[in-house]
Amino acid sequence: MTDPTDRPHVLMMSEITADGKLTLKKGASSKILMKYMSHETEILLHTTRAEYDAIMVGANTIRIDNSFLTVRYVPGKSPLRVIPCSMVDIPLDANVLGPDAPTVIAVAEAAPQDRVDAIKKKGVNVVVAGKMHVELPLLMKILREKFGVKKLMIEGGPTLNWHMLHDRLVDEIRLIHLPFIVGGSDTPSLVGGMHINDENEMIRLTLKNYYLCGTNLVSEFDVLYGRE
């Protein structure tokens, strides 16, 4: 595990259905389900964004959701937007490349130079954080040292969530429970990635809080990583 003083404190925050899904089906935007959150929960989400220095989502989430990742509904400054995108293959018209908040695109050394040049022309910060793919522990160190990020929240998707947990970079998890069941064997769940082989590989959590926010249950966990 990386030295916690060498990286931001990381909160994973997500909406999730009763059967653990993030969307209606594979390839569908999570915004479809998020519109069923109570207004009080929307306020909680945006208040949390305003409390954090940076917010990170995966490149595939940007392709599907085209999120703004800004603070709305409440007063406060929008956090630095961080998108790991090894080969810089996100659309140049993505909302996160707009001027309404600063953005960092993390790329690999192997990224095509023409794509890197094109993304730089959008006025965003481009950082190299790995040779063939973005190495998240290195990116966390860059965010802490170069951009002064002390608190980072991540909003998925499942691939980024898995890599962040696999690299032991998540400190807390906050889940917004939606009272729906959507099913689907290939519907994205909170954590994707590779399956585990036995119970010794499970990532253990400790429940520290739960409460109703409007009509939504919210649960909060600390991630243990063998510290139990």
Side-chain angles (χ1 to χ4, degrees):
M1 183 165 48
T2 58
D3 182 352
T5 64
D6 200 34
R7 64 167 177 84
H9 180 92
V10 176
L11 166 71
M12 177 189 294
M13 187 168 182
S14 182
E15 86 288 345
I16 188 172
T17 65
D19 55 338
K21 308 298 186 180
L22 300 184
T23 64
L24 287 180
K25 59 182 179 180
K26 186 176 182 180
S29 172
S30 62
K31 292 179 180 179
I32 298 171
L33 290 181
M34 288 179 72
K35 69 183 181 183
Y36 291 100
M37 291 193 309
S38 68
H39 182 62
E40 292 90 342
T41 312
E42 289 180 315
I43 295 295
L44 173 65
L45 175 63
H46 285 264
T47 299
T48 305
R49 287 181 179 181
E51 292 171 346
Y52 276 71
D53 303 313
I55 181 172
M56 183 166 70
V57 304
N60 198 48
T61 297
I62 294 299
R63 296 185 199 102
I64 295 173
D65 289 356
N66 196 20
S67 307
F68 284 92
L69 303 180
T70 53
V71 172
R72 304 181 297 279
Y73 306 122
V74 298
K77 181 181 178 181
S78 291
L80 175 72
R81 302 177 292 199
V82 181
I83 315 297
C85 190
S86 298
M87 294 295 112
V88 208
D89 52 350
I90 61 171
L92 290 175
D93 61 352
N95 289 326
V96 291
L97 302 180
D100 44 0
T103 299
V104 169
I105 305 295
V107 306
E109 289 181 18
Q113 191 59 47
D114 59 335
R115 293 184 188 172
V116 174
D117 293 340
I119 214 85
K120 284 182 176 179
K121 289 180 180 178
K122 302 295 291 187
V124 302
N125 295 285
V126 176
V127 300
V128 177
K131 292 186 176 181
M132 301 306 297
H133 63 272
V134 171
E135 298 170 8
L136 291 171
L138 175 57
L139 175 57
M140 294 300 102
K141 186 174 182 179
I142 291 171
L143 291 175
R144 183 71 176 88
E145 294 179 355
K146 185 174 180 179
F147 296 93
V149 176
K150 295 181 180 179
K151 295 173 62 181
L152 169 73
M153 67 180 296
I154 59 174
E155 290 189 23
T159 301
L160 176 64
N161 288 347
W162 182 82
H163 283 293
M164 288 290 289
L165 286 164
H166 181 75
D167 288 337
R168 298 189 166 198
L169 298 172
V170 180
D171 301 288
E172 300 179 72
I173 296 175
R174 181 179 297 160
L175 300 177
I176 299 167
H177 299 270
L178 303 177
F180 302 103
I181 292 175
V182 299
S185 60
D186 64 346
T187 304
S189 58
L190 179 67
V191 179
M194 301 296 291
H195 63 78
I196 62 174
N197 295 309
D198 60 58
E199 67 270 23
N200 294 318
E201 296 179 38
M202 293 190 297
I203 296 171
R204 300 182 184 275
L205 313 176
T206 181
L207 178 66
K208 62 179 182 178
N209 199 11
Y210 60 93
Y211 49 93
L212 277 179
C213 186
T215 57
N216 295 120
L217 172 67
V218 177
S219 60
E220 298 180 348
F221 302 85
D222 283 328
V223 187
L224 298 178
Y225 299 124
R227 297 192 297 268
E228 67 273 36

